[in-house]
Structure formats: C-alpha cells, structure tokens
C-alpha cells in the first residue's frame, strides 16, 4: 500500500490538532486552579490576621509557635480537622448530615465563577452573571438547615435555623443593593 504525501500531511495535521486540543484542555483548567489557590491564600491570610488582631486586643501572645510569625497555624488547624474522627449522629439522618455542609461550601465556591477577575478573565462569562451569583449564594442556607435538621436534636436544629436566618438576613439587603445597581445599569 502506497500512501501519498497529501495523506501523510493530513494525518500529521490531525495529530497536531488533537495535541492542541489536549493542550487547550489543560490550559482551560489553569484559571480554575488559580482561583482556588487565590481563595485558599485569602482564607489563610484572613485567619492569620484575625488571630493576630484578637491576640493584640486581648493582650496575649498570638499564634507564634507554628512556623515563622505563626503563619502555619491555619495549615496545622486544617490538618488537625482532616484527621479528626467523623462523628455521626446515631439517630439522625446520616446522608443529610453529610450533604448539608457540602451544599453550603459548594454554593460559596460556585459563586466565584461569575466574578470578573480581570478585563477578559471570567471563569463563566454569562449575561446573567449577577443574577446567577445571587441564586447560587442563596443555596447556602439550605445546607445550613439540612445540617441542623439531620442530627435529630432540637438544639442542633435551632442552631441551624439561627445560622440560616443570619445568612438570609445578610443576603436580603445585599441582593437589594446589587439589584438596584443592576437595574440602573440596564436602563
């Protein structure tokens, strides 16, 4: 079987296109990883600042033994949290008990999708970005209610209700402010 030059060039260009698709697929993950790394660093810095400021207000020594200036204290706390025993309620709904906090955290992380990080750097460029952000961030109280209800304990349930009510009470004025600005811009 004889293959002419045109067929060889076609085969080579096809393989190059497939390689480019793979490279573009890997590059498309890069903004998501950058966003997650930025959120993680932001949380670490906020936790460190909160501990240092609280220590100075209370006139006590802050976290200074875990790394230089106590910078590794949040990482030590996270590691301790990962290795703690997962205690499940004996008479509660175990599936809701596990899903509730996940829903709360995932809705917060998904709300970062529509926030523009640069001029042309948005993870999900939607025309309804603000409204999607409001809808996604409004899912978090459901996770808080699920976590409180699922333990089959009246004190946990009242704590979940309180957390959900507090979250909703912050969301309503924020939503009104964002919608007022959005409606003004649309006109």
């Amino acid at each position: 079987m004889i293959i002419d030059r045109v067929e060889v060039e076609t085969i080579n260009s096809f393989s190059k296109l497939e390689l480019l698709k793979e490279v573009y697929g890997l590059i498309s993950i890069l903004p998501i990883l950058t966003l997650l790394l930025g959120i993680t660093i932001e949380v670490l810095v906020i936790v460190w600042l909160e501990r240092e400021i609280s220590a100075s207000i209370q006139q006590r020594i802050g976290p200074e033994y875990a790394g230089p200036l106590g910078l590794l204290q949040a990482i030590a706390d996270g590691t301790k949290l990962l290795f703690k025993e997962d205690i499940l309620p004996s008479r509660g709904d175990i599936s809701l008990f596990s899903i509730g906090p996940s829903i709360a955290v995932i809705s917060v992380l998904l709300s970062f999708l529509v926030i523009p990080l640069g001029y042309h750097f948005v993870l999900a460029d939607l025309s309804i970005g603000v409204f999607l952000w409001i809808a996604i961030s409004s899912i978090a109280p459901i996770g808080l209610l699920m976590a409180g209800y699922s333990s089959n304990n009246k004190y946990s349930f009242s704590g979940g209700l309180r957390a959900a009510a507090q979250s909703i009470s912050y969301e309503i004025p924020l939503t009104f402010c964002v919608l007022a600005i959005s409606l003004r811009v649309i006109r």
Side-chain angles (χ1 to χ4, degrees), residues 131-167:
F131 303 110
L132 182 67
W133 175 69
I134 291 170
I136 289 174
S137 64
S138 298
I139 296 173
I142 296 171
L144 297 172
L145 280 173
M146 284 172 64
Y149 172 77
S150 63
S151 64
N152 200 16
N153 183 345
K154 63 181 175 183
Y155 299 109
S156 297
F157 182 59
S158 65
L161 278 175
R162 180 181 174 276
Q166 184 178 12
S167 178

PDB file of all heavy atoms in Angstrom, residues 131-167:
ATOM      1  N   PHE A 131     -27.317  37.839  38.537  1.00  0.00           N
ATOM      2  CA  PHE A 131     -28.498  37.095  38.986  1.00  0.00           C
ATOM      3  C   PHE A 131     -28.141  35.643  39.320  1.00  0.00           C
ATOM      4  O   PHE A 131     -28.671  35.079  40.281  1.00  0.00           O
ATOM      5  CB  PHE A 131     -29.594  37.162  37.923  1.00  0.00           C
ATOM      6  CG  PHE A 131     -29.978  38.570  37.586  1.00  0.00           C
ATOM      7  CD1 PHE A 131     -29.664  39.119  36.358  1.00  0.00           C
ATOM      8  CD2 PHE A 131     -30.623  39.371  38.527  1.00  0.00           C
ATOM      9  CE1 PHE A 131     -30.010  40.422  36.061  1.00  0.00           C
ATOM     10  CE2 PHE A 131     -30.962  40.674  38.233  1.00  0.00           C
ATOM     11  CZ  PHE A 131     -30.654  41.208  37.002  1.00  0.00           C
ATOM     12  N   LEU A 132     -27.221  35.058  38.555  1.00  0.00           N
ATOM     13  CA  LEU A 132     -26.750  33.717  38.873  1.00  0.00           C
ATOM     14  C   LEU A 132     -25.988  33.717  40.190  1.00  0.00           C
ATOM     15  O   LEU A 132     -26.117  32.804  40.998  1.00  0.00           O
ATOM     16  CB  LEU A 132     -25.869  33.176  37.746  1.00  0.00           C
ATOM     17  CG  LEU A 132     -25.347  31.766  37.942  1.00  0.00           C
ATOM     18  CD1 LEU A 132     -26.507  30.780  37.892  1.00  0.00           C
ATOM     19  CD2 LEU A 132     -24.312  31.420  36.915  1.00  0.00           C
ATOM     20  N   TRP A 133     -25.194  34.759  40.427  1.00  0.00           N
ATOM     21  CA  TRP A 133     -24.453  34.880  41.684  1.00  0.00           C
ATOM     22  C   TRP A 133     -25.413  34.954  42.875  1.00  0.00           C
ATOM     23  O   TRP A 133     -25.202  34.293  43.893  1.00  0.00           O
ATOM     24  CB  TRP A 133     -23.562  36.118  41.633  1.00  0.00           C
ATOM     25  CG  TRP A 133     -22.858  36.400  42.904  1.00  0.00           C
ATOM     26  CD1 TRP A 133     -21.860  35.674  43.471  1.00  0.00           C
ATOM     27  CD2 TRP A 133     -23.121  37.479  43.786  1.00  0.00           C
ATOM     28  NE1 TRP A 133     -21.475  36.242  44.654  1.00  0.00           N
ATOM     29  CE2 TRP A 133     -22.240  37.358  44.871  1.00  0.00           C
ATOM     30  CE3 TRP A 133     -24.007  38.552  43.769  1.00  0.00           C
ATOM     31  CZ2 TRP A 133     -22.218  38.254  45.916  1.00  0.00           C
ATOM     32  CZ3 TRP A 133     -23.980  39.443  44.804  1.00  0.00           C
ATOM     33  CH2 TRP A 133     -23.096  39.295  45.864  1.00  0.00           C
ATOM     34  N   ILE A 134     -26.482  35.717  42.742  1.00  0.00           N
ATOM     35  CA  ILE A 134     -27.475  35.807  43.819  1.00  0.00           C
ATOM     36  C   ILE A 134     -28.156  34.456  44.036  1.00  0.00           C
ATOM     37  O   ILE A 134     -28.353  34.008  45.167  1.00  0.00           O
ATOM     38  CB  ILE A 134     -28.515  36.909  43.496  1.00  0.00           C
ATOM     39  CG1 ILE A 134     -27.856  38.288  43.569  1.00  0.00           C
ATOM     40  CG2 ILE A 134     -29.700  36.840  44.441  1.00  0.00           C
ATOM     41  CD1 ILE A 134     -28.712  39.402  43.035  1.00  0.00           C
ATOM     42  N   ALA A 135     -28.515  33.784  42.945  1.00  0.00           N
ATOM     43  CA  ALA A 135     -29.199  32.491  43.064  1.00  0.00           C
ATOM     44  C   ALA A 135     -28.299  31.430  43.696  1.00  0.00           C
ATOM     45  O   ALA A 135     -28.737  30.677  44.576  1.00  0.00           O
ATOM     46  CB  ALA A 135     -29.665  32.031  41.683  1.00  0.00           C
ATOM     47  N   ILE A 136     -27.046  31.376  43.277  1.00  0.00           N
ATOM     48  CA  ILE A 136     -26.136  30.366  43.829  1.00  0.00           C
ATOM     49  C   ILE A 136     -25.833  30.645  45.293  1.00  0.00           C
ATOM     50  O   ILE A 136     -25.797  29.734  46.122  1.00  0.00           O
ATOM     51  CB  ILE A 136     -24.846  30.299  42.993  1.00  0.00           C
ATOM     52  CG1 ILE A 136     -25.136  29.676  41.635  1.00  0.00           C
ATOM     53  CG2 ILE A 136     -23.774  29.493  43.708  1.00  0.00           C
ATOM     54  CD1 ILE A 136     -23.962  29.687  40.696  1.00  0.00           C
ATOM     55  N   SER A 137     -25.615  31.913  45.640  1.00  0.00           N
ATOM     56  CA  SER A 137     -25.292  32.223  47.037  1.00  0.00           C
ATOM     57  C   SER A 137     -26.502  32.047  47.954  1.00  0.00           C
ATOM     58  O   SER A 137     -26.342  31.926  49.163  1.00  0.00           O
ATOM     59  CB  SER A 137     -24.739  33.644  47.154  1.00  0.00           C
ATOM     60  OG  SER A 137     -25.719  34.585  46.787  1.00  0.00           O
ATOM     61  N   SER A 138     -27.696  31.996  47.391  1.00  0.00           N
ATOM     62  CA  SER A 138     -28.892  31.780  48.206  1.00  0.00           C
ATOM     63  C   SER A 138     -29.117  30.310  48.549  1.00  0.00           C
ATOM     64  O   SER A 138     -30.033  29.990  49.303  1.00  0.00           O
ATOM     65  CB  SER A 138     -30.127  32.311  47.472  1.00  0.00           C
ATOM     66  OG  SER A 138     -30.007  33.695  47.268  1.00  0.00           O
ATOM     67  N   ILE A 139     -28.297  29.420  48.022  1.00  0.00           N
ATOM     68  CA  ILE A 139     -28.437  27.993  48.310  1.00  0.00           C
ATOM     69  C   ILE A 139     -27.793  27.642  49.657  1.00  0.00           C
ATOM     70  O   ILE A 139     -28.173  26.658  50.288  1.00  0.00           O
ATOM     71  CB  ILE A 139     -27.836  27.159  47.168  1.00  0.00           C
ATOM     72  CG1 ILE A 139     -28.620  27.410  45.886  1.00  0.00           C
ATOM     73  CG2 ILE A 139     -27.818  25.682  47.488  1.00  0.00           C
ATOM     74  CD1 ILE A 139     -28.012  26.770  44.663  1.00  0.00           C
ATOM     75  N   ALA A 140     -26.840  28.438  50.124  1.00  0.00           N
ATOM     76  CA  ALA A 140     -26.099  28.130  51.358  1.00  0.00           C
ATOM     77  C   ALA A 140     -27.000  27.935  52.580  1.00  0.00           C
ATOM     78  O   ALA A 140     -26.756  27.008  53.364  1.00  0.00           O
ATOM     79  CB  ALA A 140     -25.054  29.207  51.616  1.00  0.00           C
ATOM     80  N   PRO A 141     -28.048  28.747  52.813  1.00  0.00           N
ATOM     81  CA  PRO A 141     -28.902  28.495  53.979  1.00  0.00           C
ATOM     82  C   PRO A 141     -29.598  27.134  53.956  1.00  0.00           C
ATOM     83  O   PRO A 141     -29.867  26.560  55.016  1.00  0.00           O
ATOM     84  CB  PRO A 141     -29.936  29.621  53.928  1.00  0.00           C
ATOM     85  CG  PRO A 141     -29.291  30.703  53.174  1.00  0.00           C
ATOM     86  CD  PRO A 141     -28.389  30.031  52.187  1.00  0.00           C
ATOM     87  N   ILE A 142     -29.841  26.594  52.765  1.00  0.00           N
ATOM     88  CA  ILE A 142     -30.446  25.261  52.697  1.00  0.00           C
ATOM     89  C   ILE A 142     -29.500  24.225  53.278  1.00  0.00           C
ATOM     90  O   ILE A 142     -29.913  23.332  54.019  1.00  0.00           O
ATOM     91  CB  ILE A 142     -30.830  24.921  51.244  1.00  0.00           C
ATOM     92  CG1 ILE A 142     -31.905  25.885  50.746  1.00  0.00           C
ATOM     93  CG2 ILE A 142     -31.299  23.481  51.120  1.00  0.00           C
ATOM     94  CD1 ILE A 142     -32.210  25.778  49.294  1.00  0.00           C
ATOM     95  N   GLY A 143     -28.209  24.350  52.965  1.00  0.00           N
ATOM     96  CA  GLY A 143     -27.226  23.443  53.534  1.00  0.00           C
ATOM     97  C   GLY A 143     -27.125  23.578  55.040  1.00  0.00           C
ATOM     98  O   GLY A 143     -26.971  22.584  55.765  1.00  0.00           O
ATOM     99  N   LEU A 144     -27.228  24.810  55.542  1.00  0.00           N
ATOM    100  CA  LEU A 144     -27.184  25.022  56.992  1.00  0.00           C
ATOM    101  C   LEU A 144     -28.402  24.399  57.671  1.00  0.00           C
ATOM    102  O   LEU A 144     -28.286  23.777  58.741  1.00  0.00           O
ATOM    103  CB  LEU A 144     -27.116  26.521  57.294  1.00  0.00           C
ATOM    104  CG  LEU A 144     -25.873  27.247  56.783  1.00  0.00           C
ATOM    105  CD1 LEU A 144     -26.014  28.745  56.971  1.00  0.00           C
ATOM    106  CD2 LEU A 144     -24.636  26.727  57.471  1.00  0.00           C
ATOM    107  N   LEU A 145     -29.573  24.560  57.069  1.00  0.00           N
ATOM    108  CA  LEU A 145     -30.784  23.934  57.623  1.00  0.00           C
ATOM    109  C   LEU A 145     -30.688  22.414  57.586  1.00  0.00           C
ATOM    110  O   LEU A 145     -31.091  21.741  58.533  1.00  0.00           O
ATOM    111  CB  LEU A 145     -32.015  24.389  56.841  1.00  0.00           C
ATOM    112  CG  LEU A 145     -32.570  25.759  57.190  1.00  0.00           C
ATOM    113  CD1 LEU A 145     -33.680  26.131  56.226  1.00  0.00           C
ATOM    114  CD2 LEU A 145     -33.065  25.774  58.608  1.00  0.00           C
ATOM    115  N   MET A 146     -30.182  21.867  56.486  1.00  0.00           N
ATOM    116  CA  MET A 146     -30.047  20.416  56.386  1.00  0.00           C
ATOM    117  C   MET A 146     -29.110  19.876  57.458  1.00  0.00           C
ATOM    118  O   MET A 146     -29.386  18.837  58.063  1.00  0.00           O
ATOM    119  CB  MET A 146     -29.516  20.036  54.997  1.00  0.00           C
ATOM    120  CG  MET A 146     -30.526  20.126  53.903  1.00  0.00           C
ATOM    121  SD  MET A 146     -29.825  19.898  52.273  1.00  0.00           S
ATOM    122  CE  MET A 146     -29.253  18.234  52.359  1.00  0.00           C
ATOM    123  N   ALA A 147     -28.009  20.577  57.695  1.00  0.00           N
ATOM    124  CA  ALA A 147     -27.052  20.109  58.701  1.00  0.00           C
ATOM    125  C   ALA A 147     -27.657  20.160  60.097  1.00  0.00           C
ATOM    126  O   ALA A 147     -27.433  19.265  60.914  1.00  0.00           O
ATOM    127  CB  ALA A 147     -25.787  20.954  58.637  1.00  0.00           C
ATOM    128  N   GLY A 148     -28.441  21.188  60.387  1.00  0.00           N
ATOM    129  CA  GLY A 148     -29.060  21.279  61.705  1.00  0.00           C
ATOM    130  C   GLY A 148     -30.187  20.283  61.900  1.00  0.00           C
ATOM    131  O   GLY A 148     -30.323  19.690  62.967  1.00  0.00           O
ATOM    132  N   TYR A 149     -30.976  20.076  60.874  1.00  0.00           N
ATOM    133  CA  TYR A 149     -32.132  19.182  60.982  1.00  0.00           C
ATOM    134  C   TYR A 149     -31.725  17.708  61.049  1.00  0.00           C
ATOM    135  O   TYR A 149     -32.348  16.909  61.735  1.00  0.00           O
ATOM    136  CB  TYR A 149     -33.059  19.409  59.783  1.00  0.00           C
ATOM    137  CG  TYR A 149     -34.186  18.426  59.688  1.00  0.00           C
ATOM    138  CD1 TYR A 149     -35.302  18.538  60.508  1.00  0.00           C
ATOM    139  CD2 TYR A 149     -34.136  17.381  58.782  1.00  0.00           C
ATOM    140  CE1 TYR A 149     -36.340  17.626  60.424  1.00  0.00           C
ATOM    141  CE2 TYR A 149     -35.162  16.464  58.691  1.00  0.00           C
ATOM    142  CZ  TYR A 149     -36.263  16.594  59.515  1.00  0.00           C
ATOM    143  OH  TYR A 149     -37.269  15.692  59.431  1.00  0.00           O
ATOM    144  N   SER A 150     -30.671  17.368  60.330  1.00  0.00           N
ATOM    145  CA  SER A 150     -30.330  15.957  60.155  1.00  0.00           C
ATOM    146  C   SER A 150     -29.804  15.284  61.408  1.00  0.00           C
ATOM    147  O   SER A 150     -29.787  14.055  61.483  1.00  0.00           O
ATOM    148  CB  SER A 150     -29.293  15.823  59.048  1.00  0.00           C
ATOM    149  OG  SER A 150     -28.112  16.494  59.437  1.00  0.00           O
ATOM    150  N   SER A 151     -29.378  16.028  62.417  1.00  0.00           N
ATOM    151  CA  SER A 151     -28.832  15.379  63.607  1.00  0.00           C
ATOM    152  C   SER A 151     -29.922  14.895  64.562  1.00  0.00           C
ATOM    153  O   SER A 151     -29.613  14.245  65.554  1.00  0.00           O
ATOM    154  CB  SER A 151     -27.893  16.332  64.331  1.00  0.00           C
ATOM    155  OG  SER A 151     -28.600  17.443  64.795  1.00  0.00           O
ATOM    156  N   ASN A 152     -31.178  15.243  64.290  1.00  0.00           N
ATOM    157  CA  ASN A 152     -32.306  14.797  65.115  1.00  0.00           C
ATOM    158  C   ASN A 152     -32.151  15.261  66.561  1.00  0.00           C
ATOM    159  O   ASN A 152     -32.362  14.504  67.504  1.00  0.00           O
ATOM    160  CB  ASN A 152     -32.470  13.270  65.029  1.00  0.00           C
ATOM    161  CG  ASN A 152     -33.853  12.831  65.452  1.00  0.00           C
ATOM    162  OD1 ASN A 152     -34.774  13.647  65.527  1.00  0.00           O
ATOM    163  ND2 ASN A 152     -34.005  11.551  65.731  1.00  0.00           N
ATOM    164  N   ASN A 153     -31.761  16.520  66.705  1.00  0.00           N
ATOM    165  CA  ASN A 153     -31.549  17.113  68.013  1.00  0.00           C
ATOM    166  C   ASN A 153     -32.141  18.517  67.962  1.00  0.00           C
ATOM    167  O   ASN A 153     -31.850  19.276  67.041  1.00  0.00           O
ATOM    168  CB  ASN A 153     -30.050  17.157  68.308  1.00  0.00           C
ATOM    169  CG  ASN A 153     -29.734  17.696  69.667  1.00  0.00           C
ATOM    170  OD1 ASN A 153     -30.572  18.295  70.329  1.00  0.00           O
ATOM    171  ND2 ASN A 153     -28.499  17.488  70.090  1.00  0.00           N
ATOM    172  N   LYS A 154     -32.947  18.871  68.962  1.00  0.00           N
ATOM    173  CA  LYS A 154     -33.622  20.174  68.897  1.00  0.00           C
ATOM    174  C   LYS A 154     -32.639  21.329  69.021  1.00  0.00           C
ATOM    175  O   LYS A 154     -32.846  22.391  68.447  1.00  0.00           O
ATOM    176  CB  LYS A 154     -34.705  20.271  69.965  1.00  0.00           C
ATOM    177  CG  LYS A 154     -34.214  20.189  71.383  1.00  0.00           C
ATOM    178  CD  LYS A 154     -35.373  20.263  72.350  1.00  0.00           C
ATOM    179  CE  LYS A 154     -34.889  20.064  73.778  1.00  0.00           C
ATOM    180  NZ  LYS A 154     -35.993  20.066  74.717  1.00  0.00           N
ATOM    181  N   TYR A 155     -31.533  21.139  69.720  1.00  0.00           N
ATOM    182  CA  TYR A 155     -30.555  22.218  69.864  1.00  0.00           C
ATOM    183  C   TYR A 155     -29.764  22.422  68.571  1.00  0.00           C
ATOM    184  O   TYR A 155     -29.484  23.555  68.178  1.00  0.00           O
ATOM    185  CB  TYR A 155     -29.610  21.919  71.028  1.00  0.00           C
ATOM    186  CG  TYR A 155     -30.349  21.801  72.335  1.00  0.00           C
ATOM    187  CD1 TYR A 155     -30.493  20.571  72.959  1.00  0.00           C
ATOM    188  CD2 TYR A 155     -30.941  22.921  72.926  1.00  0.00           C
ATOM    189  CE1 TYR A 155     -31.195  20.451  74.142  1.00  0.00           C
ATOM    190  CE2 TYR A 155     -31.639  22.812  74.107  1.00  0.00           C
ATOM    191  CZ  TYR A 155     -31.763  21.581  74.712  1.00  0.00           C
ATOM    192  OH  TYR A 155     -32.461  21.472  75.874  1.00  0.00           O
ATOM    193  N   SER A 156     -29.429  21.335  67.906  1.00  0.00           N
ATOM    194  CA  SER A 156     -28.757  21.450  66.610  1.00  0.00           C
ATOM    195  C   SER A 156     -29.686  22.076  65.579  1.00  0.00           C
ATOM    196  O   SER A 156     -29.257  22.885  64.754  1.00  0.00           O
ATOM    197  CB  SER A 156     -28.303  20.080  66.124  1.00  0.00           C
ATOM    198  OG  SER A 156     -27.367  19.541  66.996  1.00  0.00           O
ATOM    199  N   PHE A 157     -30.951  21.700  65.636  1.00  0.00           N
ATOM    200  CA  PHE A 157     -31.915  22.265  64.694  1.00  0.00           C
ATOM    201  C   PHE A 157     -32.094  23.764  64.929  1.00  0.00           C
ATOM    202  O   PHE A 157     -32.128  24.541  63.975  1.00  0.00           O
ATOM    203  CB  PHE A 157     -33.247  21.537  64.803  1.00  0.00           C
ATOM    204  CG  PHE A 157     -34.278  22.022  63.834  1.00  0.00           C
ATOM    205  CD1 PHE A 157     -34.048  21.983  62.473  1.00  0.00           C
ATOM    206  CD2 PHE A 157     -35.484  22.534  64.283  1.00  0.00           C
ATOM    207  CE1 PHE A 157     -34.993  22.424  61.576  1.00  0.00           C
ATOM    208  CE2 PHE A 157     -36.433  22.991  63.394  1.00  0.00           C
ATOM    209  CZ  PHE A 157     -36.194  22.942  62.046  1.00  0.00           C
ATOM    210  N   SER A 158     -32.180  24.173  66.189  1.00  0.00           N
ATOM    211  CA  SER A 158     -32.320  25.617  66.458  1.00  0.00           C
ATOM    212  C   SER A 158     -31.045  26.361  66.064  1.00  0.00           C
ATOM    213  O   SER A 158     -31.119  27.497  65.590  1.00  0.00           O
ATOM    214  CB  SER A 158     -32.666  25.856  67.924  1.00  0.00           C
ATOM    215  OG  SER A 158     -31.606  25.445  68.751  1.00  0.00           O
ATOM    216  N   GLY A 159     -29.878  25.729  66.217  1.00  0.00           N
ATOM    217  CA  GLY A 159     -28.638  26.347  65.757  1.00  0.00           C
ATOM    218  C   GLY A 159     -28.602  26.473  64.247  1.00  0.00           C
ATOM    219  O   GLY A 159     -28.138  27.488  63.711  1.00  0.00           O
ATOM    220  N   GLY A 160     -29.079  25.452  63.537  1.00  0.00           N
ATOM    221  CA  GLY A 160     -29.158  25.526  62.082  1.00  0.00           C
ATOM    222  C   GLY A 160     -30.136  26.587  61.613  1.00  0.00           C
ATOM    223  O   GLY A 160     -29.874  27.301  60.648  1.00  0.00           O
ATOM    224  N   LEU A 161     -31.279  26.693  62.308  1.00  0.00           N
ATOM    225  CA  LEU A 161     -32.249  27.749  61.976  1.00  0.00           C
ATOM    226  C   LEU A 161     -31.643  29.128  62.191  1.00  0.00           C
ATOM    227  O   LEU A 161     -31.825  30.045  61.379  1.00  0.00           O
ATOM    228  CB  LEU A 161     -33.499  27.605  62.839  1.00  0.00           C
ATOM    229  CG  LEU A 161     -34.540  26.597  62.383  1.00  0.00           C
ATOM    230  CD1 LEU A 161     -35.654  26.494  63.415  1.00  0.00           C
ATOM    231  CD2 LEU A 161     -35.100  26.991  61.040  1.00  0.00           C
ATOM    232  N   ARG A 162     -30.917  29.286  63.296  1.00  0.00           N
ATOM    233  CA  ARG A 162     -30.295  30.573  63.598  1.00  0.00           C
ATOM    234  C   ARG A 162     -29.252  30.925  62.534  1.00  0.00           C
ATOM    235  O   ARG A 162     -29.188  32.061  62.064  1.00  0.00           O
ATOM    236  CB  ARG A 162     -29.636  30.522  64.971  1.00  0.00           C
ATOM    237  CG  ARG A 162     -28.979  31.802  65.371  1.00  0.00           C
ATOM    238  CD  ARG A 162     -28.315  31.657  66.748  1.00  0.00           C
ATOM    239  NE  ARG A 162     -27.565  32.842  67.091  1.00  0.00           N
ATOM    240  CZ  ARG A 162     -26.329  33.083  66.698  1.00  0.00           C
ATOM    241  NH1 ARG A 162     -25.691  32.211  65.951  1.00  0.00           N
ATOM    242  NH2 ARG A 162     -25.714  34.197  67.054  1.00  0.00           N
ATOM    243  N   ALA A 163     -28.424  29.953  62.147  1.00  0.00           N
ATOM    244  CA  ALA A 163     -27.405  30.210  61.126  1.00  0.00           C
ATOM    245  C   ALA A 163     -28.038  30.539  59.783  1.00  0.00           C
ATOM    246  O   ALA A 163     -27.586  31.453  59.073  1.00  0.00           O
ATOM    247  CB  ALA A 163     -26.488  28.998  61.005  1.00  0.00           C
ATOM    248  N   ALA A 164     -29.098  29.823  59.423  1.00  0.00           N
ATOM    249  CA  ALA A 164     -29.779  30.103  58.159  1.00  0.00           C
ATOM    250  C   ALA A 164     -30.452  31.468  58.187  1.00  0.00           C
ATOM    251  O   ALA A 164     -30.399  32.212  57.199  1.00  0.00           O
ATOM    252  CB  ALA A 164     -30.804  29.006  57.858  1.00  0.00           C
ATOM    253  N   ALA A 165     -31.077  31.817  59.316  1.00  0.00           N
ATOM    254  CA  ALA A 165     -31.717  33.129  59.426  1.00  0.00           C
ATOM    255  C   ALA A 165     -30.685  34.251  59.343  1.00  0.00           C
ATOM    256  O   ALA A 165     -30.927  35.286  58.712  1.00  0.00           O
ATOM    257  CB  ALA A 165     -32.493  33.215  60.748  1.00  0.00           C
ATOM    258  N   GLN A 166     -29.541  34.042  59.959  1.00  0.00           N
ATOM    259  CA  GLN A 166     -28.485  35.049  59.893  1.00  0.00           C
ATOM    260  C   GLN A 166     -27.972  35.195  58.465  1.00  0.00           C
ATOM    261  O   GLN A 166     -27.763  36.312  57.981  1.00  0.00           O
ATOM    262  CB  GLN A 166     -27.347  34.652  60.819  1.00  0.00           C
ATOM    263  CG  GLN A 166     -26.241  35.672  60.898  1.00  0.00           C
ATOM    264  CD  GLN A 166     -25.155  35.239  61.870  1.00  0.00           C
ATOM    265  OE1 GLN A 166     -25.125  34.098  62.310  1.00  0.00           O
ATOM    266  NE2 GLN A 166     -24.273  36.154  62.182  1.00  0.00           N
ATOM    267  N   SER A 167     -27.793  34.084  57.766  1.00  0.00           N
ATOM    268  CA  SER A 167     -27.333  34.135  56.389  1.00  0.00           C
ATOM    269  C   SER A 167     -28.345  34.842  55.488  1.00  0.00           C
ATOM    270  O   SER A 167     -27.975  35.672  54.651  1.00  0.00           O
ATOM    271  CB  SER A 167     -27.086  32.713  55.894  1.00  0.00           C
ATOM    272  OG  SER A 167     -26.674  32.708  54.562  1.00  0.00           O
TER     273      SER A 167
END
